Amino acid sequence: MLFSDEELAKIADWQPVADGFGRDDDTIRKHVMPALESLKASGFWDYHTWGNGGLSNYYSATVFPYQKRRRVFTTLTSFDCVAVYLSLMLPVGVVGRTSVSIDARISAFTPLDLDSIVEPVYGADDLLNAVLDAFKDTAYQFMDRDAVSQPLPPNVTPDEYCLCSEPWDRAFHALFADTD
């Protein structure tokens, strides 16, 4: 799926491109949380949302095996997980491998960049399969690295910075700009 110049301009300006999407809690409640909650309901997986705090145009979560979340970490501990970035402007997202660091007081994860995005296909491992299953009946379509590497038109720049290295000149950077 390639974006038109008009779509990229709207996305970069944090304007919805699809009906029923936008920077509001309804988008998250209707389109995101049911899929994430289905992961938790399985008893095998859990998630941590990194939410809207500073992320006005997208929603992010990390997904990992259930037992990782239920442990009480007394020292900072890191483990691998899958990060899910979901645009709030239209139903597209990306998945990638990253790590979470957590203890009793704090948690953090390594943000995705273009190089950490993985192909959204079944078969890599059970965790990625579970994420894809959770979102298969939603409006969201996961994109691969090539699709979100589409160059932004010369007159389009992300509204804010991204949590990855510059230059911020790809569809990925418009879709997943930060506001901290």
Side-chain angles (χ1 to χ4, degrees), residues 59-125:
Y59 199 80
S60 67
T62 48
V63 180
F64 40 83
Y66 183 79
Q67 68 275 13
K68 297 280 188 185
R69 177 63 169 251
R70 298 303 160 224
R71 285 190 51 206
V72 175
F73 296 104
T74 56
T75 61
L76 193 62
T77 304
S78 296
F79 51 89
D80 293 333
C81 62
V82 168
V84 180
Y85 283 15
L86 302 163
S87 174
L88 298 177
M89 304 299 101
L90 73 166
V92 300
V94 294
V95 291
R97 306 255 180 232
T98 190
S99 63
V100 164
S101 298
I102 192 168
D103 73 10
R105 297 176 314 272
I106 63 168
S107 59
F109 81 104
T110 304
L112 293 182
D113 59 26
L114 284 170
D115 291 335
S116 56
I117 295 171
V118 299
E119 287 289 315
V121 295
Y122 287 95
D125 61 46

Side-chain angles (χ1 to χ4, degrees), residues 46-57:
D46 204 349
Y47 68 90
H48 181 81
T49 59
W50 303 91
N52 265 24
L55 313 176
S56 292
N57 64 332

